[in-house]
Amino acid sequence: MKRFFTKKTSCAALMMGESMSNDVPTFRFLAHSRLPEPGRDYDPEVHRYSAAYVNPDGYGLTVDAFPGADVVEVIEDPEPQQGGPDNQEPIIIKRLRVPADTVAFDFTIRRSSGGFEQTVSRRIERLEGVINEAQSNAAWKLGVTVPMQGTYTCSVRLRNQSGTGPTREASLALRDRLVVVLGDSFASGEGNPDEPGEVSGILGEGVCENATANIVIKRTAPMRRVASWLEPRGHRSMRSGHVRGSDAAQDLERGRVVTLLSFATSGAEVERGLLSAQHDWQSALGGQVEEAKRAIGNRPVDALLLSIGGNDVGFASGLEGLAGDWRDGGRDEMVRSTRQRIDALADCFEKMATQVQSLVNPRRVYITEYPAGMFDKRDPSGRSLGVRGDGCGVFDSGIFMRVSIDDAEAIFDLAHQLNDQIKRAADRYGWTYLDGIAEGFAGHGYCMTGVDRFFVLAEESCHSQGDLRARCTRTSAATRCTKRSLRMCCDGSSRMVLSSAQDAWSRSCT
């Protein structure tokens, strides 16, 4: 077994150099994420979040005081014949970068205003050996559960044989904010299940390959493995832009966490979805607003995120009508009826605002705009809103479905009219209107390729979900665009601060 050093120095020199630091290195002191875990915090059998998740009796904190380690020796793979010449696995011997007489890590975590203090010692088995920084049971790591919010201080001491040693402290202000999400497929995560499914054999592949005909007859594909969702019946996942935006609101190293309750359901409308039950399985729960009220109890809601209106004005059915009207004879009628529905939304929003304020009473309400350019392509002249193009795939399949450039222009104009109506409602009821989404989607239409496409193809929906419902919804890359418009943080005075703009999120509302 051959041994050799990786540095042109001796082992003694290494031990007397970096490894002999007399200071505790800067360490990580952070809170645990509070986003719900499917199957633990939400029960899809009864369609409810657990009481322990909504009103926790404790919060997890982690200390990671890994001091660093120096390579002191590399030993050739003792069994080189196992992996072959291209897969050698040498044994790397490292030494912890701590004083030579260190015997333990001493941790003390206390709440500044009282109510919690805990001291834990973790003995170091050896200073030198095969060291894995990520190992969960390492002496330099500690996880604790604290009973309440507040400012916590953690001190770490490198204890030596005489019982003393260098010490360093870090603090965080643990704050838990409750965020509720209500709305439609844009908020639920349609098209982005937590784990994609897998179609079953030739029959399943056949359904997906003939997506256009199967849209018409509403046929689904048999699945070898069904897609995984937080709420399967509502196609609600943890991968929507609204969830990702809430996750971005967390700053774990500063102690800022978010308890997230999403009730968004694919296909929801204001009346049939938010204000009353949308499906039979929701009949005992009521609409999403009532469902949220039952879940939160008396806990204050810091932020309510909304995405609603697209299904009320019939965008999905209107798009299918346009696509199926291959002679372009019904476009004018579709535009007229959609405009009427957009105008009618004003009354729906008034009812919604009244019920939201009465039942949920959030401190702040944020409502997102919708993408507009479903059939956009990049504008070669560089204009930010892109240009419209013809349909493709299931939206350009001969006699069944076809979207023309004129159809795409009509959809684009109507989407902006819908966004204008949403913005008027936001101004009227004191909500924050989250823009930047339509612009972020510009040039990323259904017919673009690769990462430039922000919409789920019908065939992709079939393969991952077994149905064709997600063909008008957003890809995983697109949810990151929505995340940018929903990025929130909490400042020191517990106000919600929302950054709502592209690039560096330059516009802030406090």
Side-chain angles (χ1 to χ4, degrees):
M1 186 181 298
K2 185 177 179 181
R3 300 170 181 261
F4 54 92
F5 295 113
T6 59
K7 296 183 179 180
K8 293 183 178 179
T9 184
S10 68
C11 184
L14 282 167
M15 294 178 63
M16 293 299 294
E18 291 180 297
S19 299
M20 289 300 293
S21 171
N22 289 318
D23 295 323
V24 179
T26 301
F27 60 88
R28 299 184 71 205
F29 182 36
L30 66 159
H32 295 181
S33 172
R34 284 280 299 146
L35 294 190
E37 290 192 16
R40 186 194 70 180
D41 300 319
Y42 182 84
D43 186 347
E45 295 296 324
V46 297
H47 316 293
R48 286 186 175 88
Y49 291 92
S50 70
Y53 174 70
V54 179
N55 293 289
D57 57 7
Y59 297 89
L61 303 179
T62 290
V63 187
D64 186 348
F66 181 64
D70 299 311
V71 176
V72 296
E73 189 175 8
V74 177
I75 303 173
E76 286 188 340
D77 190 339
E79 297 179 337
Q81 68 279 5
Q82 296 294 324
D86 296 328
N87 293 285
Q88 296 296 291
E89 295 184 3
I91 299 173
I92 300 175
I93 306 299
K94 298 180 181 179
R95 189 186 188 286
L96 288 178
R97 201 173 296 155
V98 297
D101 60 348
T102 302
V103 296
F105 286 82
D106 291 341
F107 303 91
T108 298
I109 298 176
R110 63 173 63 88
R111 187 169 181 266
S112 298
S113 56
F116 181 85
E117 181 169 342
Q118 183 173 337
T119 299
V120 177
S121 294
R122 291 284 179 86
R123 190 166 185 82
I124 300 175
E125 294 183 3
R126 57 184 180 276
L127 297 181
E128 185 176 309
V130 178
I131 295 173
N132 178 9
E133 178 183 353
Q135 64 192 74
S136 58
N137 60 343
W140 52 83
K141 282 188 177 180
L142 178 69
V144 299
T145 299
V146 298
M148 65 193 86
Q149 300 177 55
T151 299
Y152 288 85
T153 299
C154 174
S155 67
V156 177
R157 180 175 64 176
L158 298 179
R159 177 158 50 89
N160 56 34
Q161 294 172 352
S162 63
T164 61
T167 301
R168 184 184 291 271
E169 288 190 348
S171 297
L172 58 77
L174 181 61
R175 300 289 183 269
D176 181 12
R177 299 291 172 252
L178 177 59
V179 175
V180 172
V181 180
L182 306 179
D184 52 22
S185 62
F186 197 24
S188 75
E190 179 71 87
N192 293 279
D194 294 308
E195 293 291 340
E198 182 182 353
V199 297
S200 180
I202 297 176
L203 183 58
E205 291 289 346
V207 172
C208 297
E209 289 174 5
N210 295 280
T212 304
N214 288 307
I215 288 173
V216 175
I217 64 176
K218 301 186 185 303
R219 186 182 183 186
T220 59
M223 301 295 288
R224 177 179 291 114
R225 184 184 68 251
V226 298
S228 174
W229 304 86
L230 179 70
E231 172 50 77
R233 292 193 177 186
H235 278 200
R236 184 187 309 151
S237 79
M238 296 298 295
R239 299 182 66 212
S240 75
H242 292 66
V243 172
R244 289 185 172 193
S246 299
D247 188 18
Q250 298 193 116
D251 188 343
L252 303 182
E253 296 200 2
R254 297 177 69 183
R256 296 171 182 172
V257 299
V258 168
T259 296
L260 176 73
L261 303 179
S262 176
F263 303 95
T265 300
S266 185
E269 303 172 5
V270 173
E271 291 280 359
R272 188 170 173 269
L274 265 63
L275 306 185
S276 63
Q278 178 182 348
H279 299 289
D280 290 342
W281 60 271
Q282 294 171 310
S283 58
L285 305 171
Q288 292 181 33
V289 178
E290 185 178 348
E291 187 181 358
K293 174 57 181 174
R294 292 181 181 181
I296 64 178
N298 295 321
R299 182 171 177 183
V301 176
D302 295 284
L304 171 63
L305 309 183
L306 288 170
S307 170
I308 199 69
N311 294 314
D312 296 76
V313 303
F315 261 127
S317 59
L319 175 59
E320 289 187 8
L322 280 179
D325 181 28
W326 58 278
R327 292 183 177 178
D328 294 335
R331 184 188 310 115
D332 291 343
E333 173 59 26
M334 190 279 290
V335 170
R336 184 191 64 80
S337 63
T338 302
R339 283 176 176 168
Q340 288 179 341
R341 294 190 186 101
I342 291 173
D343 291 339
L345 264 182
D347 292 337
C348 293
F349 284 147
E350 183 177 5
K351 294 179 182 178
M352 182 180 74
T354 300
Q355 191 170 123
V356 163
Q357 198 62 37
S358 172
L359 294 181
V360 182
N361 192 26
R363 292 174 178 169
R364 292 220 173 171
V365 177
Y366 304 96
I367 188 164
T368 52
E369 69 178 7
Y370 284 95
M374 181 172 177
F375 296 100
D376 266 12
K377 56 185 179 181
R378 290 191 179 278
D379 188 341
S381 66
R383 289 184 301 175
S384 61
L385 290 182
V387 294
R388 264 46 70 200
D390 289 311
C392 61
V394 297
F395 295 109
D396 184 25
S397 49
I399 194 170
F400 287 110
M401 303 181 82
R402 177 180 175 273
V403 170
S404 67
I405 291 180
D406 289 338
D407 293 335
E409 286 285 1
I411 294 166
F412 179 84
D413 291 339
L414 289 169
H416 279 285
Q417 291 173 39
L418 170 60
N419 285 337
D420 289 342
Q421 181 72 290
I422 294 171
K423 188 177 187 307
R424 285 192 291 271
D427 293 339
R428 183 177 303 119
Y429 301 114
W431 305 335
T432 299
Y433 176 74
L434 298 181
D435 58 8
I437 294 174
E439 183 178 351
F441 275 71
H444 296 282
Y446 185 90
C447 299
M448 297 297 287
T449 59
V451 296
D452 286 331
R453 176 172 47 78
F454 277 13
F455 291 85
V456 176
L457 298 177
E459 295 81 1
E460 292 174 328
S461 172
C462 183
H463 278 100
S464 67
Q465 300 181 186
D467 58 42
L468 298 155
R469 291 166 56 181
R471 63 191 180 279
C472 300
T473 55
R474 279 57 60 182
T475 63
S476 178
T479 65
R480 290 192 287 273
C481 172
T482 309
K483 166 186 169 180
R484 289 199 295 270
S485 285
L486 283 170
R487 187 176 183 272
M488 295 176 297
C489 62
C490 305
D491 68 12
S493 60
S494 302
R495 296 174 298 165
M496 296 300 291
V497 180
L498 182 139
S499 302
S500 168
Q502 293 299 306
D503 303 323
W505 311 298
S506 57
R507 182 168 62 81
S508 295
C509 305
T510 58

